[in-house]
Amino acid sequence: MTRAAVLSGLGGWLPPRVVTNDDLPAELDTSDHWIRSRTGIARRHFADPGSATSDLAVEAGARALASSGTPHADAVILATTTPDRICPATAPEVATRLGLADAAAFDLNAACTGFMCGLACAAGMIATGVTDRVLVIGAETYSSILDPLDRGTAPIFGDGAGAVVLRAGDPDEPGAIGHIDLGSDGSGAELVGVNGGGSRQRLSDGPEREGERYLTMAGREVFKHAVMRMTASCQTVLERAGRDVDDVDRLVAHQANIRIVHQLADQLRIDRGRVVTNIDRVGNTAAASVPLALLHGVADGAVRPGQQTLLTAFGAGFTWGSTLLTWPELVLRD
Ligand code: ACO
């Protein structure tokens, strides 16, 4: 029988410090009204200095493992754009701290699409018998790369981590990861990213280069690409799965901006009532966005067993990815 990866655990974690729109620095010259009406964001969580992506990932990973009913996994894939260090990868430390001795562990960088790529990677590893149980974590501390005085990014992003466990199972089971669409377009590389600190633009000391370590984003351009790419990717997945938009019970999209999510739903002709969103409380948490939206959707009762659930994400690169699954019965653990 064909092996499939089946979603069997879900967890997440947000650092305790809540930053409301009114808490943002006055120098940003923004307002609660502007941020809410243009993005849907009311607050976000920021990790305190000294708290790293691995700390968030361990908390989320432990909850996903507990939710899956067993503390074991033989691989950890950590999707992140904000690793603890450039080298080594953060995933091995996360695996060790979770007690997953000798587990395969590596980081994956596809920005806000990282979790979708992680799912695809894990599904392939399980289908080919490389592993039996994979912990896929999306974890970010964007507060470490945000320019606190850039109003185009500082109000948008937040920190957090979300995780799932995939186990070997049957393709017809609820929770089985079926068709996946992934794509990229490197011609958009300059429109969102961190320019300094890589091999292309090395960071030199001195205050004049300070800004190079921050994320920059051409918001309006990125917005258009996000809607266009996620729409096409969702349509591709539905076509491959032999499904119609009317079959989709829940749309869980990358929480970049509520206007992006609504435009995506409108383009797909999916009623906005079927959209799952948590952007008001977490902002854009990049690779953690989709699993955190799933977690909050399940906790709120918006995502329920048996529902056809369409997941999609878009991020820097550009990168994008989507999948469709029947939502399984899961037990959440705090
Ligand atoms: N407060 C007040 N005014 C603002 C703010 C702010 N925080 N930000 C921008 N403005 C102003 C601008 O200066 C501009 O003023 P002007 O018309 O006088 O020149 C006006 O608002 C409109 O600016 P836009 O940049 O066009 O604003 P927009 O409505 O596009 O919203 C935003 C900006 C929220 C960043 C939006 O473009 C967005 O969400 N972009 C997509 C983000 C995304 O998809 N990210 C996913 C990938 S990210 C990753 O992978 C790391």
Side-chain angles (χ1 to χ4, degrees), residues 242-278:
R243 296 282 193 163
D244 188 77
V245 283
D246 292 337
D247 298 326
V248 176
D249 298 306
R250 291 292 177 263
L251 172 64
V252 183
H254 170 47
Q255 305 287 295
N257 183 322
I258 196 63
R259 292 188 295 126
I260 290 177
V261 179
H262 283 160
Q263 285 191 23
L264 166 67
D266 295 350
Q267 294 279 329
L268 289 170
R269 298 185 193 284
I270 290 178
D271 183 87
R272 289 186 185 183
R274 287 185 269 158
V275 164
V276 175
T277 177
N278 65 345

Side-chain angles (χ1 to χ4, degrees), residues 7-323:
L7 202 153
S8 62
L10 173 67
W13 197 75
L14 295 165
R17 183 156 63 102
V18 175
V19 178
T20 67
N21 293 339
D22 287 332
D23 294 332
L24 292 167
E27 297 91 320
L28 279 177
D29 191 21
T30 185
S31 67
D32 178 57
H33 173 75
W34 192 96
I35 299 169
R36 278 181 199 256
S37 59
R38 302 301 292 172
T39 72
I41 300 167
R43 59 185 193 271
R44 74 287 295 144
H45 291 244
F46 280 159
D48 285 322
S51 184
T53 293
S54 60
D55 302 323
L56 279 60
V58 166
E59 296 287 347
R63 285 164 175 78
L65 287 169
S67 161
S68 77
T70 151
H72 304 297
D74 44 22
V76 176
I77 300 174
L78 176 62
T80 186
T81 344
T82 49
D84 288 10
R85 292 173 279 193
I86 288 179
C87 180
T90 305
E93 180 185 327
V94 171
T96 297
R97 286 169 61 186
L98 287 169
L100 303 172
D102 298 338
F106 55 92
D107 291 3
L108 190 160
N109 179 349
C112 304
T113 313
F115 177 75
M116 301 305 301
C117 295
L119 279 187
C121 219
M125 287 164 72
I126 288 174
T128 51
V130 175
T131 54
D132 291 328
R133 290 173 60 81
V134 185
L135 176 61
V136 181
I137 309 173
E140 304 278 14
T141 44
Y142 262 56
S143 58
S144 65
I145 56 167
L146 289 178
D147 179 348
L149 301 183
D150 177 6
R151 65 181 184 169
T153 55
I156 312 297
F157 293 90
D159 300 340
V164 297
V165 174
L166 299 180
R167 61 160 173 82
D170 186 290
D172 296 328
E173 280 183 70
I177 304 295
H179 296 277
I180 298 178
D181 175 64
L182 296 178
S184 74
D185 176 3
S187 68
E190 303 299 326
L191 295 176
V192 52
V194 179
N195 288 323
S199 55
R200 174 72 65 202
Q201 199 167 314
R202 300 172 192 204
L203 270 192
S204 54
D205 293 336
E208 73 280 2
R209 310 295 291 268
E210 172 77 6
E212 292 174 4
R213 66 188 179 89
Y214 291 132
L215 180 83
T216 57
M217 180 167 73
R220 201 179 300 192
E221 278 303 298
V222 176
F223 188 114
K224 288 184 219 152
H225 285 276
V227 175
M228 185 178 74
R229 294 301 193 178
M230 284 194 285
T231 302
S233 182
C234 287
Q235 286 166 338
T236 299
V237 151
L238 288 171
E239 202 175 295
R240 286 183 191 158
R243 296 282 193 163
D244 188 77
V245 283
D246 292 337
D247 298 326
V248 176
D249 298 306
R250 291 292 177 263
L251 172 64
V252 183
H254 170 47
Q255 305 287 295
N257 183 322
I258 196 63
R259 292 188 295 126
I260 290 177
V261 179
H262 283 160
Q263 285 191 23
L264 166 67
D266 295 350
Q267 294 279 329
L268 289 170
R269 298 185 193 284
I270 290 178
D271 183 87
R272 289 186 185 183
R274 287 185 269 158
V275 164
V276 175
T277 177
N278 65 345
I279 194 168
D280 57 326
R281 38 187 151 152
V282 297
N284 180 345
T285 56
S289 179
V290 168
L292 276 175
L294 282 170
L295 178 69
H296 293 151
V298 172
D300 295 348
V303 177
R304 295 188 292 276
Q307 288 178 331
Q308 288 300 310
T309 307
L310 181 58
L311 313 183
T312 187
F314 172 86
F318 295 131
T319 55
W320 57 87
S322 309
T323 192

